Amino acid sequence: MRTSKFFKTGLLLFVASLGLISCGDDDKEPEIVVDPVSENVEYYIEGKVVADNAALDGVSVTAGEATATTDENGQYSLTVKDKKTYTVSFAKEGDIELFLTHQ
């Protein structure tokens, strides 16, 4: 029984010493990490170009530096980097160029 008590006391001291060793001064200081995703935010301007209730394909759509062309359903999607007001322009060869402000 004396051996068992000695063993338990030794084990308790060993566990306590491990706890003290892990609390040393060599621990790293917390550091501030910049979220890499926050720098890669994208915004989208999407829509459909129609005339007389018919979808128009092949229309060039521009907002800032982003450009797209409408598909056979008249739909387009532009990817822009900043959340701001854009002037969106639509042009099709032989047609009048239109301007729309989109927020």
Side-chain angles (χ1 to χ4, degrees):
M1 204 176 301
R2 185 168 166 89
T3 306
S4 175
K5 189 174 185 181
F6 180 73
F7 179 72
K8 288 179 184 177
T9 304
L11 184 60
L12 181 62
L13 288 173
F14 176 73
V15 171
S17 67
L18 285 179
L20 292 175
I21 291 172
S22 67
C23 294
D25 289 337
D26 61 343
D27 290 341
K28 284 185 143 184
E29 292 292 322
E31 58 185 279
I32 298 173
V33 179
V34 177
D35 183 8
V37 176
S38 67
E39 297 175 4
N40 297 321
V41 175
E42 294 180 337
Y43 300 95
Y44 302 97
I45 301 172
E46 298 178 332
K48 183 175 182 177
V49 179
V50 295
D52 296 326
N53 293 325
L56 294 177
D57 66 336
V59 176
S60 177
V61 183
T62 305
E65 295 182 15
T67 60
T69 303
T70 58
D71 62 13
E72 64 275 358
N73 298 318
Q75 297 181 337
Y76 66 91
S77 178
L78 299 168
T79 303
V80 293
K81 294 285 183 189
D82 299 314
K83 184 177 180 180
K84 64 179 187 178
T85 301
Y86 286 92
T87 298
V88 181
S89 62
F90 305 85
K92 184 169 171 102
E93 192 170 320
D95 292 339
I96 298 173
E97 190 170 347
L98 303 172
F99 293 96
L100 168 71
T101 301
H102 180 80
Q103 293 180 324

